[in-house]
Amino acid sequence: MTTLTGASRRWTLRGAQTEYTVAVPAHGRWLELVAWGPHGVSDGPSAVAYDGPVPFLTAGDAAAIEYATDADRPFTGADLVVETAAGDRRVGLGYTGEVADPDRRELAVDFADPVTGLRATVHYRVPAGTDVVQRWVELTNAGSGPLKLVRAGSAGFCVPTPHGALLSHQWGQWEQEFQLSHVELGHGAFTIGSAQGVPGHLHVPWLAVRDAAEPAGPTWGVAVAWTGSWEIGAERDTGGLTRVRAGRQLVDGPLELGPGDRLTLPVVTGAYSPDGLDGLARVWHTHQRQLAADRLTPRPVLYNSWEATYFAVEAKSQLELAEIAAELGVETFVVDDGWFVGRNDDTGGLGDWTPDPAKFPAGFDAFIADVRALGLNFGLWVEPECVNPRSRLYAEHPEWVYAVDGRPLTPVRNQYLLDLGRPEVAEFVHSTVDGLLRRYDIDYLKWDFNRPRTEPGRPGAAGPLDLDGAHVANLHRIYERLRHDHPGVLIESCAGGGGRADLAMAARADVFWPSDNTGPLDRLAIQYGFLHANAPHLLSSWVTDAPGMFDLRPRSLAFRFVLAMAGVLGVGADIRSWTAEQRAEAAGWIARYKEIRDVVTHGEVHLIGGPDQARCAVQYTAPDERRVVVLAWHTGRLDGAGLLPSRPVRLPLRGLDPAARYSDGERHYSGTHLTAVGLPVHWSPTHDADLIVLHRD
Ligand code: DGJ
């Protein structure tokens, strides 16, 4: 991996199909990107290097710097801005050495500032079998004076965009997360982020960058693995280089780094694909599957009672639902919000995690046993970081919530947020969840989080605090501990829908709840964006009766099932009101899902068309290429497709062996036909979705 070039040092990290080459120039003041792309891309003149004139700028402002201080890039955006006790900025660094481990595809390059004693180690890791590069920085104050980190980004990524940068990002709101959008950046900056102490609904910590002239060509991605406040900024310079800065957003103010202190900044991950956004999605999927490691197994089909009973949870109705769910073929029954004392609506109860005896008169154990007797596993909803003012916990520990001394609290959904950075709160949250898992026979946990952090304060605490950092670190620790101690329990990460879906959670949770919006056409757009950044095993999706909020055009039960099969199938409707025909149809879909879910979990994904186009489908090709599953939806986008009389819509499949032959049980196709002409689907106003399984002959 390590090669020496002249007086400068240069290293190449090799992924499955890609390589990432960096070098320290002879002056030794920073690390520079040489090349990032397919194998061999470093073997030739760099597409990002610049050593021409820089009138009215500095050399660093134009260089493809990997990790820049404000001394390196005074004008065009730095990743790290440090202030001394005297208020001086422009702390610069110099190269001091490196540790390279070619076998593990890891590199750590050390820098130090002789004036303040600040040390920075810039880390790289390419996980085996992937085309992503994980980057993070470790800062140590080896000097004698305190330092203030005014900005503490994790990395800068440089992308050649000679004709303008085409940026793709995902925006949203509650009930409308993961909306994929594109913006062309000629000059200037584009910024997204969250100041909410959680990744949030407003933007996904994910960005894709392409050259505007080649939208289907080379595509680079950046995602932040941080479950708190974050930011991603992209700036295109006049020379055609787009530099993406990513990392934490310091919402609590500058971070203090006292003498001897060490701080590890979050991982941000870069990804490369030669095949546009669709190819980039596969690179992210491979990475998330590698993060899931031995937990990457097809998830059970679940039933969740939230939309059927809301807070009116009690044993009788839950068991009625469970009985029908079992008949349909559901495998895990999840009781959502409303099962604990004081929880009859959203104004009380959070914090008091004891089953309500009035709702489970025979006892919670007996209730769970009844569910299990139906052949179902059991799951439970919790929101352990939050507390209602109307709860015993708040009466006993009002000091546990985030608060600014002397200022009123800001309730959101009638609840406050516990300061998880406090050791006693972390202990409470861990022991609450751990206690439930030990006390009751639970296989599945839905961990919710329904409010952002508003108060940047801890009552009585002096000095600046890194509340965001402490909350996230303890949250991650608790997840890791629970997973270690209860390896058989699957954990779903939810934050009022998709507010907590980042790469750090993808490494710790088993599945994400992407949105509370389960209406079919709205959900299609949500899932389409979600799958660009997330693998199908993370996509929890329920079949419900909800119409949606934005596009209320009705869709069939088949549409809803095929849509929920795109990831982890669940049912959330009030199935007590379903007719015998609906239940029979549902049982049929669930049985079919069980036949294909291994391909959905492990297959190579191709996103075909989109929710705003007449064709919209997802193709999953099994790793051994023997089976291809296609899920397709009739969007009815007013272009006539699917109305009478109409030719079939053709779905062009991808990545198939042109010489191979495939059969859907009735018809036979060549790989060339499926790719060039496409798989025909016959849609009409009454037939609006298809699940097609092709077997290789
Ligand atoms: C928000 C979640 O996204 C919903 O699925 C549900 O669990 C409610 N919270 C319960 O309060």
Side-chain angles (χ1 to χ4, degrees), residues 475-488:
L475 179 78
H476 288 169
R477 266 185 222 122
I478 294 169
Y479 261 77
E480 286 157 16
R481 225 174 131 188
L482 292 173
R483 191 177 252 198
H484 176 268
D485 295 343
H486 307 278

Side-chain angles (χ1 to χ4, degrees), residues 321-332:
L321 290 164
E323 208 168 301
I324 302 166
E327 281 163 23
L328 301 184
V330 163
E331 295 158 307
T332 299

Side-chain angles (χ1 to χ4, degrees), residues 483-549:
R483 191 177 252 198
H484 176 268
D485 295 343
H486 307 278
V489 176
L490 293 176
I491 307 188
E492 174 174 1
S493 168
C494 167
R500 207 178 229 178
D502 67 282
L503 284 177
M505 289 312 279
R508 292 169 176 85
D510 297 292
V511 67
F512 293 155
W513 178 238
S515 180
D516 281 352
N517 191 336
T518 55
L521 286 166
D522 290 351
R523 187 77 178 193
L524 183 66
I526 292 165
Q527 294 192 177
Y528 177 74
F530 183 92
L531 285 173
H532 276 84
N534 296 287
H537 72 274
L538 291 165
L539 171 61
S540 176
S541 194
W542 310 337
V543 174
T544 71
D545 297 320
M549 285 190 88

Side-chain angles (χ1 to χ4, degrees), residues 171-179 196 200-203 306-307 310 346 412-413 446 448-452 494-500 513-518 522-523 526 548-550:
W171 59 273
Q173 57 181 325
W174 177 71
E175 291 264 342
Q176 196 188 17
E177 299 88 333
F178 301 102
Q179 302 298 305
Q196 296 185 306
H201 299 75
L202 303 182
H203 301 282
W306 175 243
E307 289 195 24
Y310 291 104
D346 65 11
V412 176
R413 206 196 188 203
K446 177 175 170 188
D448 205 345
F449 182 86
N450 283 294
R451 59 154 299 156
C494 167
R500 207 178 229 178
W513 178 238
S515 180
D516 281 352
N517 191 336
T518 55
D522 290 351
R523 187 77 178 193
I526 292 165
M549 285 190 88
F550 303 98

Side-chain angles (χ1 to χ4, degrees), residues 1-12 21-26 34 95 97-98 100:
M1 176 170 77
T2 310
T3 46
L4 277 174
T5 16
S8 65
R9 296 188 70 89
R10 168 179 163 131
W11 306 269
T12 296
T21 299
V22 293
V24 176
V34 175
Y95 164 76
E98 83 285 334

